[in-house]
Amino acid sequence: MLSQLWAIVQRDLLSEWRAREVVIGMLVMALLTLLVFNFAFDLTGAQRVASGSGAFWVAVVFATLLGFGRATALERQEGAWEGLLLSPVERPVIFLAKLVSMLSFVVVVEAVALVVMAVLFGLPVFRSGVLVVLALGTLGLCTLGTLFSVMTAQAKAREVLLPALLFPLAIPVVISAVRGTVLELSGFSAEAAPWKSLLGGFVVLFFSLSLVTFGAVAEE
Amino acid sequence: MTVRQRGVDWLAVLGGASFVLVALSVAMIFVYAPADATQGDVQRLFYLHLPAAWLAYLSFFIIFVSSIAYLLRGRPLWDRLARSAAELGFIFTTLVLLTGSIWGRPIWGTWWTWDARLTTTLILWFIYLGYFLLRSYVSDPERGARYAAVLGIVGFVDIPIIHMSVRWWRTLHPQPIVVRSEGPAMPTEMLVTMLVTLVAFCVLYVFLLWVKYRIETARDEVLALRAAVEG
């Protein structure tokens, strides 16, 4: 099972390494979002922790959406997806593999965005607490995103449909991630704990739910 | 599948009953129930607001249950039930938001406040919207039904979490003091009016759900016939 998982992830990473279509697009999107937010809100003054965390997460959410859109579009070319479904791999393994591939893309984008945040806005982002919130939030977002991106892959107006499904359902992730990041950046780790548990619960719940329902989604 | 009427036409009975009950509750809302001492006549919106909120969430529960049944059994009747409940749920969610807004303007002094319940209901409204978009954008009906079932399950499970996160988010923020509706105990006339309205809305809901279910059944038949003809 692990070898199957690794084979799919390897294929995704390799094709991304050769084309560099998904991550570059996501990165540009994330950085431009941070730039625009810099003009929209004051990211240097007293409010910079609150605004910065918000800007960071909006950038991550936008970049993730874009990444899912691109990745599924690429997947559907040349019958790659059908081939994957025909291969003797259990559906949950396909889900896991897609999740891992997308996570690795998002993590690259987040790493760069964090450095940009640290340099431009002078925020102490490389704290273990912040990174935990970041990891949980990303996991939650990508879990739902993987499920929905497969559902929207063959729909008309896919670019409209994916955000329409993902945004409302990912609201707990966005709220807890932003609040958790703000509290961790301000040094209130104890206050951030409930947000981290909420994120953790969300991840566990929707991860298991996605594994169960993915079979119904990836059935052509 | 044709619907043959033999003996009592229960749908017509239900329709008649809901008409009478709704007429009765409207009369009670405007004549029988006293005007609220502090809120005045605006409070009468509450009789409409509460059952609508109730049915908005009940619809989502029906979608949840029939989605699970559909994924397990794959019978189209569960999908039709989910479709019917979704449309009614969307209407009632819209009604809740509208009546709440109209009530909030004179009482709270604002059309909208980011209170946990309001926010959750607004997100519920958006989930319903996504549900319809998903159904209409996926061209293969069978696949659309499966996808919608997954969304129905995931969305329903998400609602309590959304509510919890929004509530925490609010309590951690400075918040304007909101006049809560659960003030003094309700006088008997108000309570009776509310109960009658609640019953009337529930009967109306069952009636509408049934009608909608028959429409969806007919629609599926038409689609199947057309597919057979064009074959």
Side-chain angles (χ1 to χ4, degrees), chain A residues 114-142:
Chain A
L114 275 183
V115 173
V116 171
M117 284 266 291
V119 172
L120 289 189
F121 310 130
L123 290 171
V125 288
F126 293 102
R127 285 185 184 171
S128 60
V130 177
L131 297 179
V132 169
V133 172
L134 193 62
L136 288 173
T138 311
L139 203 53
L141 195 63
C142 288

PDB file of all heavy atoms in Angstrom, chain A residues 114-142:
ATOM      1  N   LEU A 114       6.099  32.441   4.228  1.00  0.00           N
ATOM      2  CA  LEU A 114       6.507  32.712   5.604  1.00  0.00           C
ATOM      3  C   LEU A 114       7.759  33.571   5.645  1.00  0.00           C
ATOM      4  O   LEU A 114       7.848  34.521   6.442  1.00  0.00           O
ATOM      5  CB  LEU A 114       6.768  31.400   6.346  1.00  0.00           C
ATOM      6  CG  LEU A 114       5.573  30.693   6.986  1.00  0.00           C
ATOM      7  CD1 LEU A 114       6.047  29.459   7.721  1.00  0.00           C
ATOM      8  CD2 LEU A 114       4.841  31.626   7.941  1.00  0.00           C
ATOM      9  N   VAL A 115       8.706  33.236   4.785  1.00  0.00           N
ATOM     10  CA  VAL A 115       9.940  34.032   4.745  1.00  0.00           C
ATOM     11  C   VAL A 115       9.609  35.470   4.362  1.00  0.00           C
ATOM     12  O   VAL A 115      10.092  36.432   4.982  1.00  0.00           O
ATOM     13  CB  VAL A 115      10.945  33.407   3.749  1.00  0.00           C
ATOM     14  CG1 VAL A 115      12.148  34.320   3.574  1.00  0.00           C
ATOM     15  CG2 VAL A 115      11.378  32.035   4.220  1.00  0.00           C
ATOM     16  N   VAL A 116       8.734  35.618   3.375  1.00  0.00           N
ATOM     17  CA  VAL A 116       8.328  36.951   2.944  1.00  0.00           C
ATOM     18  C   VAL A 116       7.659  37.701   4.087  1.00  0.00           C
ATOM     19  O   VAL A 116       7.947  38.871   4.349  1.00  0.00           O
ATOM     20  CB  VAL A 116       7.389  36.854   1.721  1.00  0.00           C
ATOM     21  CG1 VAL A 116       6.779  38.208   1.396  1.00  0.00           C
ATOM     22  CG2 VAL A 116       8.151  36.324   0.526  1.00  0.00           C
ATOM     23  N   MET A 117       6.771  37.001   4.801  1.00  0.00           N
ATOM     24  CA  MET A 117       6.106  37.596   5.961  1.00  0.00           C
ATOM     25  C   MET A 117       7.131  38.073   6.984  1.00  0.00           C
ATOM     26  O   MET A 117       7.035  39.177   7.520  1.00  0.00           O
ATOM     27  CB  MET A 117       5.231  36.536   6.653  1.00  0.00           C
ATOM     28  CG  MET A 117       3.947  36.223   5.968  1.00  0.00           C
ATOM     29  SD  MET A 117       2.634  37.203   6.650  1.00  0.00           S
ATOM     30  CE  MET A 117       2.507  36.454   8.267  1.00  0.00           C
ATOM     31  N   ALA A 118       8.082  37.179   7.290  1.00  0.00           N
ATOM     32  CA  ALA A 118       9.076  37.480   8.320  1.00  0.00           C
ATOM     33  C   ALA A 118       9.903  38.695   7.924  1.00  0.00           C
ATOM     34  O   ALA A 118      10.166  39.573   8.744  1.00  0.00           O
ATOM     35  CB  ALA A 118       9.966  36.264   8.550  1.00  0.00           C
ATOM     36  N   VAL A 119      10.276  38.758   6.651  1.00  0.00           N
ATOM     37  CA  VAL A 119      11.160  39.837   6.205  1.00  0.00           C
ATOM     38  C   VAL A 119      10.383  41.145   6.037  1.00  0.00           C
ATOM     39  O   VAL A 119      10.767  42.184   6.583  1.00  0.00           O
ATOM     40  CB  VAL A 119      11.849  39.443   4.878  1.00  0.00           C
ATOM     41  CG1 VAL A 119      12.608  40.629   4.316  1.00  0.00           C
ATOM     42  CG2 VAL A 119      12.755  38.253   5.093  1.00  0.00           C
ATOM     43  N   LEU A 120       9.261  41.087   5.313  1.00  0.00           N
ATOM     44  CA  LEU A 120       8.569  42.324   4.972  1.00  0.00           C
ATOM     45  C   LEU A 120       7.796  42.910   6.147  1.00  0.00           C
ATOM     46  O   LEU A 120       7.736  44.119   6.317  1.00  0.00           O
ATOM     47  CB  LEU A 120       7.611  42.090   3.802  1.00  0.00           C
ATOM     48  CG  LEU A 120       8.262  41.857   2.433  1.00  0.00           C
ATOM     49  CD1 LEU A 120       7.199  41.867   1.365  1.00  0.00           C
ATOM     50  CD2 LEU A 120       9.318  42.918   2.131  1.00  0.00           C
ATOM     51  N   PHE A 121       7.182  42.030   6.942  1.00  0.00           N
ATOM     52  CA  PHE A 121       6.311  42.550   7.985  1.00  0.00           C
ATOM     53  C   PHE A 121       6.921  42.414   9.378  1.00  0.00           C
ATOM     54  O   PHE A 121       6.281  42.755  10.362  1.00  0.00           O
ATOM     55  CB  PHE A 121       4.942  41.859   7.930  1.00  0.00           C
ATOM     56  CG  PHE A 121       4.347  41.860   6.552  1.00  0.00           C
ATOM     57  CD1 PHE A 121       3.863  40.702   5.979  1.00  0.00           C
ATOM     58  CD2 PHE A 121       4.292  43.033   5.800  1.00  0.00           C
ATOM     59  CE1 PHE A 121       3.328  40.700   4.694  1.00  0.00           C
ATOM     60  CE2 PHE A 121       3.771  43.048   4.523  1.00  0.00           C
ATOM     61  CZ  PHE A 121       3.284  41.878   3.966  1.00  0.00           C
ATOM     62  N   GLY A 122       8.123  41.875   9.461  1.00  0.00           N
ATOM     63  CA  GLY A 122       8.804  41.780  10.741  1.00  0.00           C
ATOM     64  C   GLY A 122       8.053  40.965  11.781  1.00  0.00           C
ATOM     65  O   GLY A 122       7.938  41.352  12.938  1.00  0.00           O
ATOM     66  N   LEU A 123       7.513  39.824  11.365  1.00  0.00           N
ATOM     67  CA  LEU A 123       6.763  38.997  12.314  1.00  0.00           C
ATOM     68  C   LEU A 123       7.573  37.759  12.675  1.00  0.00           C
ATOM     69  O   LEU A 123       8.235  37.172  11.816  1.00  0.00           O
ATOM     70  CB  LEU A 123       5.426  38.563  11.694  1.00  0.00           C
ATOM     71  CG  LEU A 123       4.401  39.686  11.523  1.00  0.00           C
ATOM     72  CD1 LEU A 123       3.224  39.205  10.703  1.00  0.00           C
ATOM     73  CD2 LEU A 123       3.932  40.190  12.878  1.00  0.00           C
ATOM     74  N   PRO A 124       7.520  37.344  13.949  1.00  0.00           N
ATOM     75  CA  PRO A 124       8.285  36.156  14.379  1.00  0.00           C
ATOM     76  C   PRO A 124       7.568  34.867  13.981  1.00  0.00           C
ATOM     77  O   PRO A 124       7.036  34.154  14.820  1.00  0.00           O
ATOM     78  CB  PRO A 124       8.338  36.305  15.898  1.00  0.00           C
ATOM     79  CG  PRO A 124       7.099  37.059  16.237  1.00  0.00           C
ATOM     80  CD  PRO A 124       6.783  37.948  15.076  1.00  0.00           C
ATOM     81  N   VAL A 125       7.562  34.562  12.698  1.00  0.00           N
ATOM     82  CA  VAL A 125       6.723  33.464  12.221  1.00  0.00           C
ATOM     83  C   VAL A 125       7.313  32.084  12.492  1.00  0.00           C
ATOM     84  O   VAL A 125       6.589  31.097  12.517  1.00  0.00           O
ATOM     85  CB  VAL A 125       6.461  33.591  10.706  1.00  0.00           C
ATOM     86  CG1 VAL A 125       5.500  34.731  10.446  1.00  0.00           C
ATOM     87  CG2 VAL A 125       7.737  33.781   9.944  1.00  0.00           C
ATOM     88  N   PHE A 126       8.637  32.003  12.679  1.00  0.00           N
ATOM     89  CA  PHE A 126       9.219  30.666  12.814  1.00  0.00           C
ATOM     90  C   PHE A 126       9.226  30.204  14.265  1.00  0.00           C
ATOM     91  O   PHE A 126      10.257  29.941  14.856  1.00  0.00           O
ATOM     92  CB  PHE A 126      10.616  30.629  12.198  1.00  0.00           C
ATOM     93  CG  PHE A 126      10.563  30.809  10.714  1.00  0.00           C
ATOM     94  CD1 PHE A 126      10.866  32.029  10.133  1.00  0.00           C
ATOM     95  CD2 PHE A 126      10.153  29.762   9.893  1.00  0.00           C
ATOM     96  CE1 PHE A 126      10.777  32.195   8.756  1.00  0.00           C
ATOM     97  CE2 PHE A 126      10.065  29.921   8.518  1.00  0.00           C
ATOM     98  CZ  PHE A 126      10.370  31.147   7.951  1.00  0.00           C
ATOM     99  N   ARG A 127       8.036  30.144  14.852  1.00  0.00           N
ATOM    100  CA  ARG A 127       7.877  29.604  16.197  1.00  0.00           C
ATOM    101  C   ARG A 127       7.176  28.261  16.057  1.00  0.00           C
ATOM    102  O   ARG A 127       6.351  28.078  15.160  1.00  0.00           O
ATOM    103  CB  ARG A 127       6.992  30.516  17.038  1.00  0.00           C
ATOM    104  CG  ARG A 127       7.686  31.773  17.483  1.00  0.00           C
ATOM    105  CD  ARG A 127       6.765  32.529  18.400  1.00  0.00           C
ATOM    106  NE  ARG A 127       7.368  33.798  18.766  1.00  0.00           N
ATOM    107  CZ  ARG A 127       6.716  34.742  19.418  1.00  0.00           C
ATOM    108  NH1 ARG A 127       5.459  34.543  19.767  1.00  0.00           N
ATOM    109  NH2 ARG A 127       7.305  35.867  19.719  1.00  0.00           N
ATOM    110  N   SER A 128       7.469  27.371  16.988  1.00  0.00           N
ATOM    111  CA  SER A 128       6.883  26.030  16.867  1.00  0.00           C
ATOM    112  C   SER A 128       5.352  26.112  16.899  1.00  0.00           C
ATOM    113  O   SER A 128       4.678  25.414  16.141  1.00  0.00           O
ATOM    114  CB  SER A 128       7.397  25.129  17.987  1.00  0.00           C
ATOM    115  OG  SER A 128       7.044  25.684  19.229  1.00  0.00           O
ATOM    116  N   GLY A 129       4.807  26.989  17.752  1.00  0.00           N
ATOM    117  CA  GLY A 129       3.350  27.112  17.843  1.00  0.00           C
ATOM    118  C   GLY A 129       2.737  27.529  16.517  1.00  0.00           C
ATOM    119  O   GLY A 129       1.732  26.969  16.061  1.00  0.00           O
ATOM    120  N   VAL A 130       3.337  28.528  15.876  1.00  0.00           N
ATOM    121  CA  VAL A 130       2.834  29.001  14.587  1.00  0.00           C
ATOM    122  C   VAL A 130       2.890  27.873  13.565  1.00  0.00           C
ATOM    123  O   VAL A 130       1.948  27.663  12.798  1.00  0.00           O
ATOM    124  CB  VAL A 130       3.674  30.208  14.097  1.00  0.00           C
ATOM    125  CG1 VAL A 130       3.193  30.657  12.736  1.00  0.00           C
ATOM    126  CG2 VAL A 130       3.599  31.349  15.087  1.00  0.00           C
ATOM    127  N   LEU A 131       3.983  27.133  13.594  1.00  0.00           N
ATOM    128  CA  LEU A 131       4.142  26.068  12.605  1.00  0.00           C
ATOM    129  C   LEU A 131       3.129  24.943  12.825  1.00  0.00           C
ATOM    130  O   LEU A 131       2.641  24.347  11.857  1.00  0.00           O
ATOM    131  CB  LEU A 131       5.577  25.528  12.633  1.00  0.00           C
ATOM    132  CG  LEU A 131       6.629  26.573  12.252  1.00  0.00           C
ATOM    133  CD1 LEU A 131       8.033  25.982  12.310  1.00  0.00           C
ATOM    134  CD2 LEU A 131       6.371  27.155  10.857  1.00  0.00           C
ATOM    135  N   VAL A 132       2.792  24.681  14.097  1.00  0.00           N
ATOM    136  CA  VAL A 132       1.769  23.659  14.365  1.00  0.00           C
ATOM    137  C   VAL A 132       0.416  24.095  13.799  1.00  0.00           C
ATOM    138  O   VAL A 132      -0.268  23.330  13.117  1.00  0.00           O
ATOM    139  CB  VAL A 132       1.662  23.387  15.885  1.00  0.00           C
ATOM    140  CG1 VAL A 132       0.430  22.551  16.196  1.00  0.00           C
ATOM    141  CG2 VAL A 132       2.907  22.688  16.389  1.00  0.00           C
ATOM    142  N   VAL A 133       0.043  25.356  14.071  1.00  0.00           N
ATOM    143  CA  VAL A 133      -1.212  25.884  13.531  1.00  0.00           C
ATOM    144  C   VAL A 133      -1.201  25.801  12.006  1.00  0.00           C
ATOM    145  O   VAL A 133      -2.178  25.380  11.374  1.00  0.00           O
ATOM    146  CB  VAL A 133      -1.428  27.347  13.985  1.00  0.00           C
ATOM    147  CG1 VAL A 133      -2.620  27.956  13.266  1.00  0.00           C
ATOM    148  CG2 VAL A 133      -1.641  27.412  15.479  1.00  0.00           C
ATOM    149  N   LEU A 134      -0.068  26.174  11.454  1.00  0.00           N
ATOM    150  CA  LEU A 134       0.073  26.163  10.002  1.00  0.00           C
ATOM    151  C   LEU A 134      -0.112  24.753   9.446  1.00  0.00           C
ATOM    152  O   LEU A 134      -0.852  24.529   8.477  1.00  0.00           O
ATOM    153  CB  LEU A 134       1.472  26.670   9.650  1.00  0.00           C
ATOM    154  CG  LEU A 134       1.728  27.032   8.201  1.00  0.00           C
ATOM    155  CD1 LEU A 134       0.814  28.160   7.806  1.00  0.00           C
ATOM    156  CD2 LEU A 134       3.175  27.440   8.020  1.00  0.00           C
ATOM    157  N   ALA A 135       0.526  23.790  10.102  1.00  0.00           N
ATOM    158  CA  ALA A 135       0.439  22.402   9.618  1.00  0.00           C
ATOM    159  C   ALA A 135      -0.995  21.897   9.692  1.00  0.00           C
ATOM    160  O   ALA A 135      -1.522  21.329   8.722  1.00  0.00           O
ATOM    161  CB  ALA A 135       1.359  21.512  10.451  1.00  0.00           C
ATOM    162  N   LEU A 136      -1.661  22.142  10.839  1.00  0.00           N
ATOM    163  CA  LEU A 136      -3.027  21.644  11.003  1.00  0.00           C
ATOM    164  C   LEU A 136      -3.987  22.325  10.031  1.00  0.00           C
ATOM    165  O   LEU A 136      -4.831  21.674   9.407  1.00  0.00           O
ATOM    166  CB  LEU A 136      -3.491  21.864  12.449  1.00  0.00           C
ATOM    167  CG  LEU A 136      -2.848  20.972  13.505  1.00  0.00           C
ATOM    168  CD1 LEU A 136      -3.262  21.422  14.901  1.00  0.00           C
ATOM    169  CD2 LEU A 136      -3.246  19.521  13.287  1.00  0.00           C
ATOM    170  N   GLY A 137      -3.830  23.647   9.902  1.00  0.00           N
ATOM    171  CA  GLY A 137      -4.710  24.385   9.000  1.00  0.00           C
ATOM    172  C   GLY A 137      -4.551  23.920   7.563  1.00  0.00           C
ATOM    173  O   GLY A 137      -5.536  23.715   6.843  1.00  0.00           O
ATOM    174  N   THR A 138      -3.312  23.742   7.149  1.00  0.00           N
ATOM    175  CA  THR A 138      -3.052  23.294   5.787  1.00  0.00           C
ATOM    176  C   THR A 138      -3.634  21.905   5.545  1.00  0.00           C
ATOM    177  O   THR A 138      -4.247  21.637   4.509  1.00  0.00           O
ATOM    178  CB  THR A 138      -1.532  23.254   5.532  1.00  0.00           C
ATOM    179  OG1 THR A 138      -0.976  24.486   5.968  1.00  0.00           O
ATOM    180  CG2 THR A 138      -1.237  23.038   4.084  1.00  0.00           C
ATOM    181  N   LEU A 139      -3.467  21.049   6.539  1.00  0.00           N
ATOM    182  CA  LEU A 139      -3.988  19.687   6.424  1.00  0.00           C
ATOM    183  C   LEU A 139      -5.511  19.707   6.278  1.00  0.00           C
ATOM    184  O   LEU A 139      -6.079  19.016   5.421  1.00  0.00           O
ATOM    185  CB  LEU A 139      -3.572  18.891   7.664  1.00  0.00           C
ATOM    186  CG  LEU A 139      -3.517  17.378   7.555  1.00  0.00           C
ATOM    187  CD1 LEU A 139      -2.664  16.966   6.379  1.00  0.00           C
ATOM    188  CD2 LEU A 139      -2.965  16.782   8.847  1.00  0.00           C
ATOM    189  N   GLY A 140      -6.162  20.519   7.100  1.00  0.00           N
ATOM    190  CA  GLY A 140      -7.621  20.609   7.029  1.00  0.00           C
ATOM    191  C   GLY A 140      -8.080  21.121   5.684  1.00  0.00           C
ATOM    192  O   GLY A 140      -8.994  20.575   5.057  1.00  0.00           O
ATOM    193  N   LEU A 141      -7.445  22.188   5.231  1.00  0.00           N
ATOM    194  CA  LEU A 141      -7.815  22.807   3.957  1.00  0.00           C
ATOM    195  C   LEU A 141      -7.610  21.828   2.798  1.00  0.00           C
ATOM    196  O   LEU A 141      -8.473  21.672   1.930  1.00  0.00           O
ATOM    197  CB  LEU A 141      -6.946  24.048   3.756  1.00  0.00           C
ATOM    198  CG  LEU A 141      -7.358  25.048   2.694  1.00  0.00           C
ATOM    199  CD1 LEU A 141      -8.711  25.631   3.061  1.00  0.00           C
ATOM    200  CD2 LEU A 141      -6.320  26.139   2.584  1.00  0.00           C
ATOM    201  N   CYS A 142      -6.465  21.148   2.800  1.00  0.00           N
ATOM    202  CA  CYS A 142      -6.145  20.259   1.688  1.00  0.00           C
ATOM    203  C   CYS A 142      -6.996  18.986   1.710  1.00  0.00           C
ATOM    204  O   CYS A 142      -7.287  18.417   0.655  1.00  0.00           O
ATOM    205  CB  CYS A 142      -4.664  19.904   1.702  1.00  0.00           C
ATOM    206  SG  CYS A 142      -3.629  21.276   1.211  1.00  0.00           S
TER     207      CYS A 142
END
